Structures are given as C-alpha cells and as structure tokens.
Amino acid sequence: MLGRMVQQRMRIRMQASLADVAASAPTPPSHRPGSMDDLEWQSELAWEVYPRRHPFASWEAVEALNAEMRAGEWGELVPEASPVAETDDGRVRGFVATIRRVPKFDLPDCPYVINVITAPEFRRQGIAAGLLGAAAAALLADGEIEIALTVDDDNPSAIALYESLGFTEIGRVPA
C-alpha cells in the first residue's frame, strides 16, 4: 500500500536592493513611523489575518513572540522603516515592521522586514507596496544597501508583491 506524501511547507528567504525596492514601489500612503507601542494591535491584526500556524498557532504563542520582541531578542525596531498607514479616522490600513538586524537566526546581514500586513478591507490598493517603498527610502537615507524578508511558500500574492519590488529568493527553510 502506498502512503500519501505530504509536502512540507517552506519559508522562502528573499533579499533585494533598497534602491530597487524604492524605485519599484508606488507612492506610499500617508503614514507615520511605527513603534514598540504598536506591538499589541499589530499582533491582534496578525491574529485576525494569518492562518493558525507557527508563529500564530495560539494566542499564547503570539504573547510569547511579543515578549521576545520587547526584550530585543528579534533585534532593534527601526521606527522610520516600520511605517503604519491609517485612515483619517484612525483605522489601520496596513503596516511594515522592520528591524535593523536579526541576531536570532542565520539571516542576511541587513535590515529585515519581520511583518507586512494590510487590513483585509484595504487590500489590492498598493498599500503594502507603498509602505515597503517608504521603508526602503528610510533605510537608504540611513546608509543601508539591502533588505531581506521571509515569506511562506503558500502565499503567492505576497511572493508576487515582493518579486515586483525586486526581491529574489536566496534560500528556503522548513516552516
């Protein structure tokens, strides 16, 4: 009897030139710099939109991730490269969270985008691309050259977005 082969989910590591991202991105929406004070609502939005799997398998896991972020275990948040887009009445349209370097894993030695989320009602409006462009411009002004991120291999929309901004795959790791 033949057993079913289960394909393991992978995480795709991608990297891009900041100049390419900045040049490829649309005009960013109105935004403000992010901060660690945004962590709670960002986690709630992530909980709303992400599938229930690592690192969002349980709310306890999300709280543990927040504690690690607050303790600096994931690196230093770069506020100007972590833009938050809001509506005039304060509803979050989307955000990008970028850290200076990730000390925790074997990742490229460059700023690292740890989260990109667009609220469901604002998707397909260029918000994520614009915010990534704003993050890239801020990092370029700070003297950085490249940027990296990781995306699930079963998220074709995000992969297409990143590729349109100049990101290319540099490796894969099990999810």
Side-chain angles (χ1 to χ4, degrees), residues 95-171:
F95 71 92
V96 169
T98 306
I99 53 179
R100 182 76 53 200
R101 299 286 186 279
V102 180
K104 198 170 178 122
F105 303 106
D106 182 28
L107 295 170
D109 184 26
C110 63
Y112 205 84
V113 174
I114 58 170
N115 217 339
V116 178
I117 294 182
T118 302
E121 65 270 27
F122 297 107
R123 290 189 176 154
R124 305 274 185 245
Q125 297 176 22
I127 292 169
L131 292 175
L132 283 163
L139 291 166
L140 275 170
D142 200 27
E144 297 287 353
I145 298 170
E146 294 182 308
I147 190 167
L149 53 77
T150 304
V151 61
D152 288 326
D153 68 349
D154 64 354
N155 191 344
S157 297
I159 294 167
L161 165 66
Y162 303 142
E163 288 175 341
S164 76
L165 294 173
F167 283 88
T168 58
E169 182 174 328
I170 58 171

Side-chain angles (χ1 to χ4, degrees), residues 39-122:
L39 192 55
E40 284 304 315
W41 68 257
Q42 288 176 349
S43 296
E44 290 170 8
L45 183 57
W47 181 253
E48 176 186 332
V49 301
Y50 284 153
R52 295 292 177 266
R53 59 186 183 205
H54 181 77
F56 299 101
S58 68
W59 186 250
E60 292 76 22
V62 172
E63 288 176 328
L65 185 61
N66 284 348
E68 289 177 2
M69 288 288 297
R70 290 191 190 288
E73 293 178 32
W74 285 85
E76 169 197 355
L77 183 75
V78 184
E80 62 277 2
S82 299
V84 176
E86 297 172 324
T87 63
D88 290 339
D89 62 357
R91 287 182 303 137
V92 174
R93 296 169 64 194
F95 71 92
V96 169
T98 306
I99 53 179
R100 182 76 53 200
R101 299 286 186 279
V102 180
K104 198 170 178 122
F105 303 106
D106 182 28
L107 295 170
D109 184 26
C110 63
Y112 205 84
V113 174
I114 58 170
N115 217 339
V116 178
I117 294 182
T118 302
E121 65 270 27
F122 297 107

